[in-house]
Amino acid sequence: QGAVYQAIYDGEKFPALKKGSTVALKIMPVADESSAYWSKVQRRTDELCALSHSSIVRYYGCFKINDFFHDSYVIVEEFLEGESLKDLLARSKSGIDVDEALRIMNAVLDALEYISSRGIVHRDIKPGNIFLGTDGAVKLIDFEVAGGIADATTATGSGNFQGTFDYMAPEFTSAAFRGDV
C-alpha cells in the first residue's frame, strides 16, 4: 500500500508528539480526484488516534502531500524496532517456543478484543501484521484497511478486496466467489 520511513518529528501539528520524537511515516501515493478517500483516511486515522492499548501501534495523525506529479497521504504512527511475526517464523525453521507463541497470541487476542469493543474490525490479521518489538512488546499493526463492525465485509463498494485473501475468514472468501460482496 505504500512505503514506511523512519523520521524525526519536528512540528507542532500533533499534540501527542514531542519535538524530536522518532516516528514512522506511512506514505501512500493516491489518485483521489474527489478527495473522498482522503476524508475516509482522516476519519479512520482519527478513530485510530483514540486507541490506547499496549498491543496496538499508536497512531498520531495524518496529512497529505500535493506535488506536481502525484498526491500522497501520510499517516504518522509509532516507530517500532523489531520484526514481524512473519519474519520470526521464516527465521525459526523448527517453529517457536510454545510459551512464546501463547504470549504473542494472548497479546493479539487482547488487542482484538479491545478494538472490537470500540467497533473496529482489523480485516487483515496475519503474521506480517503482528510486530514483535525488541523490548518484548507485541503490537498489532497496519490498520489502514480496518473498518467498522457495521461494514465488516472484505470488499469496498466497487468490489475491490481489502485484506489478504489467504488470511480471510471462510465466510468472506465464500461470499466473494458467490459475488455477495
Side-chain angles (χ1 to χ4, degrees), residues 12-29:
E12 298 176 1
K13 181 174 178 143
F14 306 113
L17 280 172
K18 294 179 185 173
K19 278 190 178 189
S21 298
T22 303
V23 296
L25 300 179
K26 187 174 284 187
I27 302 174
M28 303 173 295

Side-chain angles (χ1 to χ4, degrees), residues 118-173:
R118 280 144 184 82
I120 297 172
V121 177
H122 187 283
R123 293 200 285 202
D124 200 18
I125 302 298
K126 60 184 179 182
N129 286 338
I130 299 170
F131 197 86
L132 309 172
T134 55
D135 61 356
V138 176
K139 301 271 186 173
L140 192 54
I141 64 171
D142 208 9
F143 280 78
E144 283 69 41
V145 298
I149 288 175
D151 62 353
T153 66
T154 56
T156 63
S158 63
N160 295 325
F161 282 96
Q162 294 186 341
T164 304
F165 189 79
D166 290 346
Y167 292 94
M168 286 182 186
E171 59 271 22
F172 290 134
T173 58

Side-chain angles (χ1 to χ4, degrees), residues 49-139:
C49 287
L51 299 178
S52 179
H53 190 279
S54 62
S55 293
I56 295 175
V57 66
R58 178 95 168 94
Y59 284 80
Y60 299 111
C62 62
F63 60 94
K64 63 179 165 176
I65 301 169
N66 304 95
D67 67 25
F68 186 73
F69 296 104
H70 60 72
D71 295 339
S72 295
Y73 298 159
V74 181
I75 298 174
V76 182
E77 58 188 65
E78 173 183 13
F79 176 75
L80 303 171
E81 292 187 60
E83 67 181 337
S84 71
L85 178 58
K86 177 183 177 181
D87 293 337
L88 174 64
L89 293 172
R91 222 175 9 87
S92 305
K93 298 300 179 196
S94 62
I96 60 175
D97 177 72
V98 69
D99 290 333
E100 178 65 358
L102 288 171
R103 184 185 78 80
I104 293 167
M105 288 298 91
N106 281 331
V108 171
L109 291 171
D110 193 43
L112 291 171
E113 180 180 41
Y114 174 83
I115 63 171
S116 177
S117 72
R118 280 144 184 82
I120 297 172
V121 177
H122 187 283
R123 293 200 285 202
D124 200 18
I125 302 298
K126 60 184 179 182
N129 286 338
I130 299 170
F131 197 86
L132 309 172
T134 55
D135 61 356
V138 176
K139 301 271 186 173

